[in-house]
C-alpha cells in the first residue's frame, strides 16, 4: 500500500493542509498556483489504468442513502459519455488526466473509460470499528479484481490505522484471485469520513483548520461536511490511482512518498489560492455553497487542482 505520510513542509499551516488533506509526502507549496515552481514529473515506465474500468464502492459502516448518492453521483459525473451541460463540469476536470496518456504515446494514446460498478454495503462492521491497513486491503478485495478500482469508504465512527494522524485516505494495489487461470493486479482506494474525527484536517475548507488563521469555513456544496470532504480526497486519489496505479507510473519524488497528479497541488481549488485560502470559487446563490464543478443530477462539487503535464503547472477549473 502506498504510504502517504507528509514529512517536510515550509509552514505549519501548509503542513496541516497538505499533510492531512492530500496525504502525500515531501511536498513544497509556494504562495499561489501562479508562483509555484515548475514540477518535474517523471514517467517510471509502468502501466497506467486503461480501457473500461469499473469503480466499485465498498461502504463500511453506517451511511445514509443520501450520503451514498453524493459519492455515486460523483463517479457518474466522471464519464464524458453522459456529459453535464452545466460548466465547468466534473468530466472537464477529469480530462486533464488524459494528457498523461498522450505523453506515453502521442500518436495513439490509450483511452480510459470509468463507470460505476457494484456497491457493497457492510453496515454490521464485519471487521470491527478499528481497522488496520490489512483490513482495508481485505475489504477492497471484495470488489472485482479485473479492470476495476475498488474504493473502500469508512463511516465517521470507524478508526483506521493512521487516519487523522498521517492520512485522510490512501491508494494502493493488490494481487487478486485467479480468473480463468490468470491473476490480475487490481487498484484500490480507501477514504474515511472525517466529520467527527478530524474535519479540520481532512474536510478543509469545509471546516476550520486546526492550526493557522481561523477563517470562516466554506459551505459544503452537498450540505455534508464529511461527505463533501470525502469527495475531495476521493477525487485526488482517483487521479493518483489512474496515473500511478502500481507505484511505477507518473510521480515526482521518492516512490514510497510520491507527489502525484492531484497531491502535487495541495490546497489549491481555484485561481489565486494560497495556504489557508482555497482560491476564487463559484458560489451557489441559493445555498451559499462554494464549488468549482457541476456534476450529475444537478450536483455541485469542490475538486482539487490537477497537475497539468503539458503546462507543468497546477490546473484549476475556475
Amino acid at each position: 500500500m502506498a504510504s502517504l505520510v507528509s514529512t517536510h513542509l515550509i509552514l505549519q499551516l501548509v503542513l496541516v493542509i497538505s499533510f492531512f488533506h492530500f496525504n502525500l509526502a515531501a511536498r513544497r507549496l509556494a504562495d499561489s498556483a501562479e508562483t509555484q515552481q515548475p514540477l518535474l514529473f517523471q514517467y517510471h515506465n509502468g502501466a497506467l489504468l486503461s480501457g473500461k474500468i469499473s469503480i466499485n464502492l465498498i461502504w463500511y459502516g453506517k451511511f445514509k442513502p443520501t450520503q451514498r448518492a453524493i459519492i455515486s453521483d460523483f463517479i457518474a459525473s466522471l464519464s464524458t459519455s453522459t456529459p453535464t451541460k452545466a460548466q465547468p463540469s466534473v468530466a472537464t476536470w477529469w480530462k486533464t488526466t488524459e494528457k498523461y496518456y498522450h505523453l506515453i504515446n502521442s500518436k495513439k494514446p490509450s483511452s480510459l473509460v470509468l463507470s460505476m460498478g457494484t456497491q457493497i454495503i457492510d453496515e454490521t462492521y464485519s471487521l470491527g470499528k478499528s481497522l488496520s491497513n490489512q483490513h482495508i486491503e481485505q475489504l477492497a478485495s471484495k470488489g472485482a479484481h479485473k479492470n476495476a478500482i475498488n474504493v473502500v469508504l469508512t463511516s465517521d465512527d470507524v478508526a483506521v490505522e493512521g487516519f487523522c494522524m498521517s492520512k485522510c485516505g490512501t491508494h494502493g494495489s493488490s494481487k487478486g484471485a485467479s480468473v480463468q487461470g490468470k491473476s490480475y493486479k487490481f487498484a484500490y482506494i480507501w477514504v474515511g469520513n472525517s466529520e467527527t474525527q478530524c474535519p479540520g484536517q481532512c474536510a478543509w475548507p469545509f471546516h476550520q483548520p486546526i492550526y493557522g488563521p481561523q477563517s470562516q469555513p466554506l459551505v459544503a456544496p452537498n450540505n455534508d461536511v464529511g461527505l463533501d470532504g470525502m469527495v475531495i480526497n476521493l477525487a485526488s486519489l482517483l487521479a493518483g490511482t489512474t496515473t500511478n496505479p502500481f507505484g511505477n507510473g507518473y510521480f515526482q519524488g521518492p516512490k514510497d512518498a510520491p507527489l502525484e497528479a492531484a497531491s502535487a497541488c495541495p490546497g489549491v481549488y481555484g485561481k489565486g489560492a494560497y495556504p489557508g485560502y482555497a482560491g476564487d470559487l463559484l458560489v451557489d446563490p441559493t445555498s451559499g455553497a462554494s464549488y468549482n464543478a457541476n456534476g450529475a443530477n444537478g450536483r455541485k462539487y469542490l475538486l482539487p487542482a490537477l497537475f497539468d503535464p503539458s503546462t507543468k503547472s497546477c490546473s484549476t477549473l475556475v
Side-chain angles (χ1 to χ4, degrees):
M1 181 184 297
S3 173
L4 305 178
V5 180
S6 188
T7 56
H8 299 293
L9 293 170
I10 301 172
L11 300 173
Q12 189 177 40
L13 177 60
V14 183
L15 173 64
V16 175
I17 295 173
S18 60
F19 174 54
F20 289 105
H21 199 66
F22 288 95
N23 323 304
L24 292 171
R27 64 186 65 134
R28 299 179 64 187
L29 178 66
D31 287 343
S32 70
E34 286 76 17
T35 60
Q36 193 173 27
Q37 293 297 314
L39 293 171
L40 300 176
F41 262 53
Q42 291 182 320
Y43 175 52
H44 296 79
N45 300 316
L48 307 187
L49 294 187
S50 60
K52 295 181 179 180
I53 301 292
S54 61
I55 299 178
N56 305 302
L57 304 180
I58 297 99
W59 299 92
Y60 189 84
K62 303 291 186 182
F63 287 93
K64 299 174 184 177
T66 52
Q67 292 180 312
R68 291 197 292 269
I70 293 172
I71 300 292
S72 59
D73 282 347
F74 168 67
I75 300 301
S77 303
L78 292 167
S79 174
T80 54
S81 61
T82 54
T84 302
K85 292 182 179 180
Q87 294 294 326
S89 69
V90 174
T92 300
W93 171 83
W94 184 249
K95 283 185 72 67
T96 296
T97 62
E98 294 179 3
K99 297 184 179 182
Y100 289 84
Y101 292 78
H102 283 272
L103 289 177
I104 295 176
N105 188 341
S106 59
K107 293 183 179 179
K108 190 178 180 181
S110 300
S111 61
L112 173 66
V113 179
L114 300 179
S115 63
M116 173 62 74
T118 60
Q119 297 194 53
I120 300 170
I121 299 175
D122 185 345
E123 292 184 321
T124 63
Y125 305 90
S126 61
L127 298 179
K129 290 189 175 182
S130 182
L131 305 181
S132 65
N133 292 331
Q134 289 70 30
H135 286 140
I136 295 299
E137 189 170 336
Q138 183 179 341
L139 288 170
S141 68
K142 292 185 176 183
H145 293 176
K146 182 181 179 182
N147 299 326
I149 300 173
N150 296 332
V151 180
V152 178
L153 302 156
T154 52
S155 58
D156 58 6
D157 57 348
V158 175
V160 176
E161 181 180 345
F163 188 29
C164 295
M165 298 298 291
S166 61
K167 58 190 177 185
C168 306
T170 56
H171 81 82
S173 61
S174 180
K175 189 174 182 180
S178 178
V179 179
Q180 295 181 344
K182 184 176 181 180
S183 294
Y184 294 89
K185 205 172 186 181
F186 68 91
Y188 66 88
I189 292 171
W190 159 71
V191 178
N193 185 341
S194 65
E195 184 170 12
T196 60
Q197 296 186 53
C198 53
Q201 297 151 331
C202 295
W204 184 87
F206 303 129
H207 191 281
Q208 290 176 308
I210 57 173
Y211 300 119
Q214 297 299 297
S215 56
Q216 190 71 18
L218 303 180
V219 177
N222 294 285
N223 197 33
D224 191 313
V225 169
L227 268 293
D228 279 300
M230 291 181 82
V231 168
I232 291 175
N233 292 307
L234 174 57
S236 174
L237 291 165
L238 271 174
T241 297
T242 56
T243 58
N244 186 32
F246 308 119
N248 54 6
Y250 281 100
F251 64 88
Q252 181 194 31
K255 185 176 181 178
D256 59 347
L259 280 173
E260 297 175 327
S263 60
C265 307
V268 179
Y269 299 92
K271 288 181 172 58
Y274 55 82
Y277 176 62
D280 301 329
L281 304 173
L282 301 174
V283 178
D284 184 279
T286 303
S287 65
S290 295
Y291 69 101
N292 60 6
N294 293 279
N297 296 319
R299 295 277 185 191
K300 291 177 172 59
Y301 295 103
L302 184 64
L303 303 179
L306 293 178
F307 180 78
D308 187 330
S310 63
T311 62
K312 296 181 174 57
S313 63
C314 294
S315 174
T316 62
L317 283 172
V318 295

